[in-house]
Amino acid sequence: MFSNFCHVLKFCNLIFYGVLSHTHGGHYDIGAEALAFLMQQRHTYLWFLPVLFLSELCVYVLSRAKLTANIKLGVILLILALIHYLTICTGCVNLIWNIDLVPMASVYIILGILYKRVSVKWTFENNKWIAGLLFCFSLLVSTINFVVWDRVDIWGNSYGCLPLFYLGAISATYATVLLLKQISIPRMLIFLGVNSLLLYGLHRMAIEIFFIVWNKLGIPYDGISCLSLCMAVCNVLLTCVLLYPVVSFINRRCPWILGKF
């Protein structure tokens, strides 16, 4: 899925920004951009797609090698976390296809597999207090990590204290899962969630169009004023409206883009 999706999106980006550079000025070297895409060293806002693809591939290989038993997966989790730590300590970061982030991403995929196996036996998950306490715990851990160490920025290889990074992310994710199990989710939010990857992949091009429109209308955008904040909210809402038919069309007519055949 991620391989097809990444290539199609990048092709769309090359065409879109290539046309935009000719119609609105500016330099855009399609050849250099295509090469940078092939190297994928934190390139553009789609940098995480190769990480997801390679991580899924890594977990698939582990599954085929029959290393997905609970105890074995626990050992593999520790090994992957250690490899992630070593890449940071040795400076082996920003590698081709962002492969230095694969151990970290694989940890979360494996945790998802383990949770799916054991969650059916956990009756305490129906308690909303558990979700609330986990959110508070995650907020506390993340605050300590930010204040004492550094902010979390995966793109920039900044994690603060690595154990706190994992602890905060896992507890917040688990709290979100528990909360979503206990509330009724509107259909529109379900649509946004199911198609979040596709919406994110296309959103930047839609927002560029709206910025051109605002500029033509003489509406200034400085990124800090109240007007800019209102424009940002409008951009998000208008992007969802603009991309709704596009996403629906891809799901119905071109599912191969998403790896569905």
Side-chain angles (χ1 to χ4, degrees), residues 35-51:
L35 179 61
F37 166 70
L38 292 176
M39 301 296 287
Q40 273 302 322
Q41 294 173 283
R42 307 297 199 273
H43 182 59
T44 75
Y45 63 97
L46 301 174
W47 62 269
F48 65 93
L49 287 179
V51 179

Side-chain angles (χ1 to χ4, degrees), residues 170-214:
I170 293 169
S171 57
T173 302
Y174 186 39
T176 303
V177 170
L178 296 187
L179 182 63
L180 292 177
K181 282 185 173 182
Q182 300 175 48
I183 63 175
S184 177
I185 306 174
R187 290 182 61 186
M188 180 53 67
L189 290 182
I190 293 175
F191 175 84
L192 293 176
V194 171
N195 297 286
S196 59
L197 189 59
L198 186 54
L199 288 167
Y200 182 80
L202 298 172
H203 85 285
R204 190 63 208 176
M205 289 180 280
I207 289 178
E208 291 286 0
I209 294 173
F210 293 132
F211 275 131
I212 292 173
V213 172
W214 303 141

Side-chain angles (χ1 to χ4, degrees), residues 87-115:
T87 60
I88 298 172
C89 291
T90 58
C92 294
V93 294
N94 296 332
L95 302 180
I96 294 176
W97 271 62
N98 306 318
I99 199 170
D100 52 293
L101 296 177
V102 171
M104 181 268 295
S106 299
V107 166
Y108 292 106
I109 295 176
I110 292 174
L111 284 173
I113 293 173
L114 289 173
Y115 172 73

